Amino acid sequence: SGHGSLDLFGAIEQSCDTFFYQLGLRLGLPAWAKHARAAGFDRPTGIDMPGEKGGNVPDADWYDRNYGSRGWTKAVLLNLAIGQGELLVTPLSLAQYFAGLSNGGVVMQPHLLRSWRAPDGRVHGYEPSVSFELPYSPEVLDVLVECCVMVLEGEHGTARGSRIPGVS
């Protein structure tokens, strides 16, 4: 019985792996990798810290190089579709993505500090700047934001225990 019959809203609210396994298989690896890259998961955020690394969004070439051309199957999508397997996303990149969802698709450049004072007394700082834009229509953004809210506020939301009264 599990989750029962779910649409996208319910699948995100309840974090239903089975729904996303099926979605990943239907989408296919090339399209999955394209969308994961468009979300910025494969590149550094550009934060003002030396040595930042990007994530890993595997595609068929990556699997061929690492497992051989017959060493993997489309079943890798089962793990990838739920954010596991060989997908690597930094916590900052994930935070930047969700901030972009709530910012109308505009992903801002992260910084550690807004400004700082140099030993000579001069103040240095950063002006807010756009890093990139998510490739989603306003309608898709609205759906994704609504689904994210349901994770916390929905009756079956997987993060409903993290609710803060009076804060949406």
Side-chain angles (χ1 to χ4, degrees), residues 9-167:
F9 292 89
I12 291 176
E13 175 189 15
Q14 297 179 41
S15 188
C16 179
D17 289 351
T18 305
F19 182 96
F20 293 102
Y21 295 154
Q22 297 304 314
L23 181 61
L25 289 172
R26 287 184 183 183
L27 192 59
L29 186 56
W32 176 88
K34 174 185 167 191
H35 288 288
R37 288 188 178 107
F41 294 148
D42 64 330
R43 59 182 176 253
T45 65
I47 194 167
D48 42 332
M49 289 179 58
E52 181 192 21
K53 304 279 189 235
N56 181 52
V57 174
D59 56 17
D61 290 338
W62 187 93
Y63 281 107
D64 286 347
R65 281 192 314 275
N66 286 278
Y67 298 115
S69 63
R70 296 184 169 258
W72 62 279
T73 68
K74 68 180 181 177
V76 298
L77 281 162
L78 300 177
N79 273 336
L80 295 174
I82 60 169
Q84 295 184 11
E86 294 81 3
L87 172 67
L88 299 176
V89 179
T90 67
L92 183 58
S93 181
L94 197 57
Q96 186 183 38
Y97 173 78
F98 279 98
L101 285 182
S102 64
N103 198 29
V106 177
V107 179
M108 301 301 291
Q109 178 75 35
H111 293 286
L112 284 176
L113 303 171
R114 186 176 305 183
S115 63
W116 71 96
R117 185 177 308 277
D120 64 5
R122 293 188 316 184
V123 176
H124 302 271
Y126 297 103
E127 291 296 321
S129 62
V130 174
S131 182
F132 64 98
E133 291 191 26
L134 296 171
Y136 309 140
S137 69
E139 295 80 16
V140 168
L141 284 167
D142 288 346
V143 166
L144 292 173
V145 169
E146 183 177 343
C147 289
C148 290
V149 170
M150 290 172 63
V151 170
L152 274 167
E153 297 180 2
E155 181 181 345
H156 303 288
T158 55
R160 66 188 177 276
S162 301
R163 291 181 191 153
I164 299 172
V167 177

